[in-house]
Each structure stands twice: as C-alpha cells, then as structure tokens.
Amino acid sequence: MFDETDQLSVNALRALSIDMIERAGSGHPGLPLDAAPMAYVLYSRHLRVDPQAPDWVNRDRFVLSAGHGSALLYSMLHLSGFPTRMADLKQFRQLHSMTPGHPEHGLVAGVDATTGPLGQGLGMAVGMAMAETHLAAQYNTPEQKVIDHFTYVICGDGDLMEGISHEAASLAGNLKLNKLIVLYDSNDVSLDGATDRTFSDDAQQRFAGYGWDCQKVSDGNNLAAIDAAITAAKLTDAPSMIEIKTTIGYGAPKQGTHLVHGAPLGQTDLAATKQSLGWQAAPFTVPAAVKQRFAERVQERGQAAHRQWQALLTTYQQAQPKLAAQLHHALAQELPVDWQSDLPKYQIGDSEAGRITSQKMIQALAAKVPSLWGGAADLASSNKTDIAASGSFSATARQERNLNFGVREFAEAAAMNGIALHGGSHVFGGTFFVFSDYMRGAIRLAALQKLPVTYIFTHDSLAVGEDGPTHEPVEQLMSLRAMPGISVIRPADPNEAVAAWRLAMTTNDRPSVLVLTRQDLAVLKGSLNHSDGVSRGGYVISPQQRKQAEGILLASGSEVALVIAAQQRLRKFGHDVAVVSMPCFDRFMQQPAAYREKVLPRNIRRRVSIELGATLGWERFIGLDGLSLGIDTFGASGPAAEVLEEYGFTSDAVVAAYQKLWRADNRLQTPIQRSVI
C-alpha cells in the first residue's frame, strides 16, 4: 500500500523543514522530524482539501495544535500545491514573510487556525467539530449532505499538559463529536527535558474516561499502521484520539532529547540527519517523484472531491432553495434584511438590568437570524443567555442552539473561536465578568484572528455586592481594553445595550465584549437621541446648558446615571458641565479627529471620569491633570448600595471631585497645560 515514493515524500517534508529552520537560524526541528509520517499519511490518504480553493466550506479542517512545528505545516502546504511557494519557505520566520514562526490564520492559505499557545488548537478544533455537526443538522437532507467533513488535529505532550486540553476533551466527549480525530505526537519530551519529570498521565485511560475512542500506534514511522488507525477512527461514534509513539528529532544525532526541540540543528548535525535519512538532494530541492505523488494524492484527490461536492450543491440548491439560500447567507456572515424589525425598544421611565436587555435581544435576534447560537459556562440562568425557543445542543440534538459549556470558561472561549473559524455561525458565550480572566488567552487569539465572536459578561462591577471581592471585577475592564483588535462595550442603559448588540451583530472583523449589569439601569434621556453613540464609542449624552461647557464628566455603564445626577447638582453651584458616555474606548479612538474634538473639546480642561473599575487608562481622555474616580484596590462583601457608598461611588463624591479640580484651576496664575484627546 505504501511504497518507496511515500517514504521519500516523508523525508522530503523532513528535509524541507530542517532546511527552513537552519536558514532562519530559528525554529523547532524536533516535531517536523518525528511527526512527518503522520502528517503525510493524513494529507495523502485522508484529509480532503482543495489547494486551489483553500476556503472550500466542506473541506476537512486541520489544526496543528503544536504550532511550534510550523515548518512541517508549511512544507506540507508547499508540496500539496497551496500558494506557499519555495521562496516563502526560504523566508521562514522573517519579517513580513508568509511563513511566520507559528501558524497564523488569514495570513497563510491552508492554515485553519492560529496556533502556538499550547492546548488552544485542540480547543478550537472542538469548536470546529461542533459547528460542523450543528450546520449538518440544520441544512443536510437524507439525500444531500452538503456539510459533511472531519476535523483533524496534531497535538503534542505540551498540548495535553495544558489545562484547556482537559476542558476541551471533556466537552467533546460529552457531545460525542465523532468527526473529531486527534493524532497525538507522543514523544515523551518537552522543551526542558523528558516529560516524566512532570507528566506521567496515561493518555489512553484519560481520554477513554472522557468518552473518546482511543488507539495506539507504537511505531510513528509505520505509515500503514497510522493509516489503519485513522481509517478506524473515521468509523467510530465518539471523538478519537490516536496516540502515536515517536522519537523527537528522528534521525538527528540528538534525537530523543530536548536538545532538538526548539533550536536549529547546526550545519554538522543537519548533514548527519540527512545522511541518516538517506537524503541526498540539495537544500530546498524536491525530487520529481515526490512532486508527482503529492499532485496525485493531495491535489487531484482534493479537487475531485470538491467537484463532486459542487455537483451535490447544485442539486441541493434546486431541491432546497430556501435552505440553500439560508446556508449561503450564514457562510457569508450576512444578516437577513429584517433582522432588526422586532428588537426591543425603551422609553423614559423604563428600567432594566443589562443582562435582561441582552436576554430580550437574544430572543429577538434568534427569531430572525438562524445562524445565531451560543450559551454560557454553566451560568445561562444568571447570564440570561438561553434562547427560549430552542433546546440544548447535544449528542442527540445537534440542531438546537443553546450551548452548555459547563464550568469550562477557557474551553468555551476556544470552542467559540473554532465555531467562528469554521464559518456559518454568529456565536456568543457568557460568564461572570470577573471570570473572563479564565478566557483571556482565547480572547486574545480571537482578536488576533479577527473573529466576530460575542462575549456576554454580566455582573460587571462592585454592585455584585454580597458575593464579595472574588466576584467583583476591578481590573478586567482596563485589562481587556488594553488588548488590540477587540471592542469592549459597557452600556449605560437599555438603549445602549440594544445598540451594543446591534454593533456586535454587524461586526465581522473583531470580537465584541458586552459588559452588562445585574442591577437595573433606568433609560437615560440622552440615549434616545443618539442611536449611533455606541457605535462611535462615545458621545455627549447630557450637554451643558450654555454654549461652552465649563467642564466634562465622563463615565461608562451604570456610572453614567450617577454623573448625570452630579451634573444636575453642580448646576446649583453654578458649574455648567457636560456629561459624556464612553461605552467603547477603541471605537471612539477610531473616529475622525473632528468628531472626537466635538465630544471632548481640547479647550475644556476640567475633566473628571468615574468608573467602577481601575482608573488606569482614563488619563487618555481626562489628561494627566484630570481627576479619575475609580477603584484601584479589590472590593468588599456587603449589600451593593453599602459597598458602593463605602468606595465613594456617590453623586456627592463626583461633585466634590469636580469642585476640587475647579478650585485648583482657579488658584493657578497661568493656563493649565494638559495632554488630552
């Protein structure tokens, strides 16, 4: 079944990979040398992809969770006919190259996920498998299975040490994601040394305990055994883990040790490695027989599968025009024309918690947008994320739209990334805001990959009260605002919460974080007349009475109502100030300078911000000499009203702060010079 050309092809992958690493003077040769056989078998015999159409929706997905072995993936993409050129291989790890140090989705065709932080590739693959089975249940008919593919992963010991692997594997087992197949490169070595110093898990028993089908291939160079294991895995009714025993850095003088994990081999060892592999071709050279084998086994096989699927899709479009159109819109991230027709509306006198407004938005959106689904980390009843008209997505109800992630915040966020990467979904997920810390690594990868996922973080402040400092977020707002490529939106009232959801639904190039209250928020008059205020990040929600404001009060969330109350009191003291609602820092900073000047005129020097969180960051809007009222310590346990008063979140405190700033200004003999936006 496998012949000399197959073995030559495996060694071509190895040689190209170590040549890339040596030329760059940087990289990880250990995995490419030991995992090349399993990667070759997967691509040449099983993985269904069309290199001429890398984004074909029904392709099999492949995630190199052990992303440090990227040289192997780039070598595979080049030989398989993807747009990765030999010139790109020679620019491995160089600035502006198409072959970065770790795989990056959106930069390199054929890379289905950005990987590198270990374990997250496995988590995203779980999400991909969830999306595949959900879309299949929504759109397939007995005659036409337009969504029908596998998700494959290569992971290593490091992936399985990371805690997210436990969360993700447990979730996958419970959901019986039988089209998820993980190839575990089990070489017993990590960066610092042999894994037995820190890692003695029996992977077979562990994954079997999660409900996975498990196999073991004792010789990682046995192509036929690897092929047979993958073939068997494709027939199971559970996710599959195939442990493949390998020798890290196979063929190198220091094989089997951590010395080949993360550094170039060096010219002497490079030559010795090629000699042990019987490789005689010049660097960056591929024998004609290898090129032909990849053309036949990957390109031609994949193109034939793609053509067959396109014929199936044509039949499907004729037989199921409504479903076909709906699937097309979902994959294109297009919203129905009437998606906003039944959104909740609020007037003066209405009052509602942010999480309840979000709940109403979810119901209205779910009724119009079939691609919307999501859930929470065992907190749906508190985050208010359930879609009332749907049941729970499960092994026996793949079409349902409520995702029960369990107490697994990190896996939840990684799975959301995988769902978004797969395509065809508008996905959301929730937890308490303070627990966003558990998700942060995956949120960062969502931002890096420009994924339109929506996070619903409730219980947004000290107003959590009795649950105390463990549940009261302090630094989370500024921490997430500091992350590039993400919109953190903290609405001040129900109208702003509706606008926040609208913004999230129409955003296709970044994650949206909705930070919502547990306590009621009254509708603010100013939100009625500024429908685009949230999308622009900030706006004057309560203007001054005269032409020129004496000062500006800035806030987000529930504190906007507080500063409006302070504004009214300050007027009694003769201070005419404007109030700015600042729900989304990054959106405001993206506005034209003229708009920002209109909201925050540079010549208005007295500025006070107030927010139930860390003060660091507000200086960008208030200047270094402005006053920022916040909390730079942890909170306390007690009734919410008492906790807020204890920490100075009262209109009295805002009035006092502004008057202090006003008095200081009037004592100065020269104009104050401040750096403000």
Side-chain angles (χ1 to χ4, degrees), residues 344-418:
K345 296 178 175 59
Y346 298 91
Q347 300 297 328
I348 296 298
D350 295 335
S351 181
E352 190 169 82
R355 61 175 175 167
I356 301 300
T357 306
S358 175
Q359 181 184 41
K360 292 179 179 178
M361 283 294 293
I362 289 172
Q363 310 317 309
L365 292 168
K368 298 291 185 179
V369 184
S371 58
L372 182 72
W373 61 320
D378 200 48
L379 287 169
S381 58
S382 193
N383 296 149
K384 306 300 180 184
T385 53
D386 270 351
I387 298 173
S390 183
S392 293
F393 173 80
S394 70
T396 56
R398 306 290 198 192
Q399 77 284 358
E400 301 295 349
R401 299 162 69 185
N402 288 311
L403 290 169
N404 302 315
F405 291 105
V407 188
R408 305 183 182 99
E409 284 88 357
F410 199 176
E412 173 188 11
M416 289 168 62
N417 288 349

Side-chain angles (χ1 to χ4, degrees), residues 295-310:
E296 294 170 351
R297 295 287 172 83
V298 181
Q299 297 179 51
E300 294 175 11
R301 184 173 58 83
Q303 289 166 3
H306 190 185
R307 287 193 299 270
Q308 184 179 9
W309 179 82
Q310 288 175 315

Side-chain angles (χ1 to χ4, degrees), residues 14 29-38 185 187 220-221 246-250:
R14 287 167 163 157
L31 185 144
L33 286 170
D34 75 42
M38 69 180 80
D185 175 23
N187 60 36
N221 288 307
T246 61
T247 300
I248 189 170
Y250 178 80

Side-chain angles (χ1 to χ4, degrees), residues 1-20:
M1 186 175 181
F2 289 92
D3 57 24
E4 291 182 0
T5 302
D6 291 309
Q7 187 57 55
L8 187 65
S9 298
V10 170
N11 286 338
L13 289 169
R14 287 167 163 157
L16 277 178
S17 298
I18 58 178
D19 281 341
M20 291 165 60

Side-chain angles (χ1 to χ4, degrees), residues 109-123:
V111 173
D112 286 324
T114 295
T115 56
L118 291 175
Q120 285 203 58
L122 178 58

Side-chain angles (χ1 to χ4, degrees), residues 255-318:
Q255 68 175 21
T257 75
H258 70 288
L259 299 176
V260 292
H261 171 85
L265 298 176
Q267 285 297 323
T268 300
D269 282 7
L270 178 72
T273 302
K274 289 184 176 181
Q275 183 177 5
S276 72
L277 297 174
W279 188 260
Q280 298 178 348
F284 295 103
T285 301
V286 180
V290 171
K291 294 180 180 179
Q292 181 62 29
R293 180 56 53 91
F294 271 91
E296 294 170 351
R297 295 287 172 83
V298 181
Q299 297 179 51
E300 294 175 11
R301 184 173 58 83
Q303 289 166 3
H306 190 185
R307 287 193 299 270
Q308 184 179 9
W309 179 82
Q310 288 175 315
L312 174 66
L313 181 63
T314 299
T315 303
Y316 179 74
Q317 290 168 332
Q318 295 169 348

